[in-house]
Amino acid sequence: MPRDEPRAGTVLVVDDEEDLAELYADYLADRHEVRTAYGGEAALAALEPALDVVLVDRRMPVVSGNEVVAAVEEADLDARVALVTAVDPDFDIVDLGIDDYLNKPVTRDELRETVERLLAINAYSDRVRELSAKRVKRNVLTVEKAQTELRHSDEFAQLSAEIDRLEDEVEAIEAGIDSGYLKRFI
C-alpha cells in the first residue's frame, strides 16, 4: 500500500488533557475512526476488541497510562499500543506492553506515521500468521501425497496460489515499513 494512502483503523486516544486528546483525534480523524477517552478510568471503560491502536498518555491521575497498557494486555486485545507522553523513557518501559513511545510534543505527521506504522505491523503479523498456516498445509500435502495427485488437485493449486498471493502481500507490507522498526516487533 503506498505510504500516503490511508489505512482504515479504529484508534483510541487517551489523555487526561481533553484539549490534547481532541487535537490528536483531529489529527487522525480524516484517516481513521477515532475515539477519545479523557483519562485512564475512561480508557478502561472504552477498551474493546474493535480497537486497532491505542495512543495513551503515561502520567494521568487515578489510573495511569501504565495501568491502561496493562489492561489492554489483560484483555488480550489485538490493539497496538503507543505511549504519547511528556515522561522521558526509562528502563521500566522494557516490561511495558507497548509498541512505540512518543515524547510530547508530537506533530501531526509523527502521530499519523506512528498509527500507520502500527496498523501496517498488525497487517503484517496477520498475513505472516495466515501464510505460515497455509505453508504448513502445503508441506503436509507435499509429504503425504504423490506428485501426480498434487499436480491434478484443484485444491492444491488454489492453496499454492494463495501462498503466492500472501507472500507478495507480506513483501509489499515489509517494503512499506522501515525494516529496522519492523524487526523490533517480530
Side-chain angles (χ1 to χ4, degrees):
M1 183 175 287
R3 184 177 167 88
D4 50 23
E5 185 175 322
R7 287 180 178 88
T10 303
V11 180
L12 176 63
V13 176
V14 182
D15 203 302
D16 60 312
E17 295 181 42
E18 290 183 28
D19 291 344
L20 200 50
E22 290 300 327
L23 177 66
Y24 294 162
D26 287 344
Y27 285 172
L28 302 168
D30 64 328
R31 297 178 178 210
H32 309 285
E33 178 185 335
V34 182
R35 301 170 186 176
T36 53
Y38 307 125
E41 287 178 304
L44 296 178
L47 294 180
E48 63 177 83
L51 297 173
D52 298 302
V53 174
V54 178
L55 303 174
V56 62
D57 184 21
R58 190 164 190 192
R59 188 175 294 153
M60 296 182 291
V62 186
V63 176
S64 72
N66 291 6
E67 291 171 292
V68 173
V69 170
V72 170
E73 283 185 304
E74 287 171 22
D76 200 27
L77 299 180
D78 244 359
R80 297 287 173 169
V81 179
L83 287 177
V84 184
T85 181
V87 178
D88 287 331
D90 205 345
F91 293 108
D92 64 333
I93 69 168
V94 171
D95 294 326
L96 282 178
I98 60 171
D99 301 289
D100 209 338
Y101 197 105
L102 299 172
N103 281 83
K104 291 179 182 176
V106 296
T107 67
R108 171 192 213 101
D109 288 342
E110 288 172 322
L111 204 62
R112 285 181 169 194
E113 287 172 10
T114 297
V115 170
E116 296 300 326
R117 189 172 43 249
L118 294 176
L119 290 171
I121 290 168
N122 264 351
Y124 180 84
S125 178
D126 291 345
R127 295 311 180 291
V128 167
R129 188 176 314 124
E130 185 180 356
L131 177 59
S132 177
K134 290 188 183 300
R135 283 178 173 164
V136 166
K137 293 171 187 175
R138 180 184 62 188
N139 292 346
V140 168
L141 290 170
T142 301
V143 169
E144 298 296 326
K145 296 293 185 183
Q147 287 298 313
T148 54
E149 281 184 277
L150 295 175
R151 281 194 297 273
H152 291 59
S153 168
D154 290 339
E155 292 93 345
F156 189 77
Q158 183 178 354
L159 177 62
S160 295
E162 288 175 16
I163 289 170
D164 291 342
R165 177 188 57 80
L166 285 167
E167 287 172 340
D168 290 344
E169 285 184 27
V170 166
E171 196 173 298
I173 294 170
E174 284 176 343
I177 300 174
D178 170 50
S179 62
Y181 188 87
L182 181 61
K183 288 178 183 171
R184 291 174 28 195
F185 300 100
I186 58 175

